[in-house]
Amino acid sequence: MSTGKQQQKGLALSGHNYVGEDQIWKDHIENESVSARNWEEKWKFMAADHKDLIKDEYPLQEKAEIPLPKHLQIAHGPPLHECVSVLPSVNPLPVTTSREIGWRSTAEVNRLEKYGRYCRPKGSLLRQLNWPDEAIG
């Protein structure tokens, strides 16, 4: 099956310098190690909180609390449960197997399909008015 030239596959390709590639990889690892050691010295300000950096530039000033005028203060009233009472519902849920209102209900009063189960459109408006199809457009 050979055609005179042997085809090389995988890592045995010609033109690869394995020693050089290994040296480049070692240099990359060394640069990463040096950068990791020097990072805190060069870039720690980026990890610090903004307020910690400017705390010496702006001394804290104590603010006096200003009382609100009487017309802006919130009046405290009685608790809500004393003012509002909730009565039980006059219309109980319909008697159904699932106790739900809607299409599952057997009572006609609670049906959501008010026009019946088989209500379908009677055709297009054009056909009902005997207009040609070109009338729209």
Side-chain angles (χ1 to χ4, degrees):
M1 284 225 152
S2 69
T3 60
K5 290 183 182 178
Q6 271 197 326
Q7 294 183 354
Q8 297 176 346
K9 297 181 181 179
L11 297 176
L13 294 173
S14 62
H16 276 259
N17 184 355
Y18 296 109
V19 175
E21 288 179 6
D22 191 42
Q23 187 61 40
I24 291 171
W25 180 252
K26 287 179 184 178
D27 289 342
H28 281 293
I29 299 299
E30 180 63 27
N31 287 340
E32 285 285 331
S33 301
V34 170
S35 298
R37 276 182 264 145
N38 296 335
W39 184 88
E40 189 170 319
E41 177 184 316
K42 292 182 180 180
W43 301 102
K44 185 169 183 168
F45 70 92
M46 294 193 67
D49 190 27
H50 174 68
K51 292 179 182 178
D52 292 341
L53 295 175
I54 64 168
K55 67 182 175 188
D56 298 332
E57 296 176 19
Y58 301 104
L60 291 176
Q61 298 176 356
E62 293 190 24
K63 297 179 183 178
E65 189 172 322
I66 302 171
L68 283 175
K70 183 110 177 147
H71 68 280
L72 294 177
Q73 291 180 358
I74 298 172
H76 296 287
L80 188 61
H81 68 275
E82 292 179 7
C83 299
V84 178
S85 62
V86 179
L87 300 174
S89 177
V90 180
N91 298 330
L93 287 175
V95 180
T96 61
T97 56
S98 61
R99 303 289 288 175
E100 291 181 6
I101 298 175
W103 66 275
R104 291 184 183 262
S105 176
T106 56
E108 287 292 325
V109 180
N110 301 323
R111 293 189 82 104
L112 295 178
E113 302 162 344
K114 35 191 216 179
Y115 300 114
R117 197 171 190 188
Y118 302 104
C119 181
R120 292 200 174 111
K122 303 286 185 208
S124 70
L125 180 64
L126 295 175
R127 294 220 171 95
Q128 288 180 9
L129 298 174
N130 293 326
W131 287 0
D133 290 337
E134 293 83 28
I136 297 179

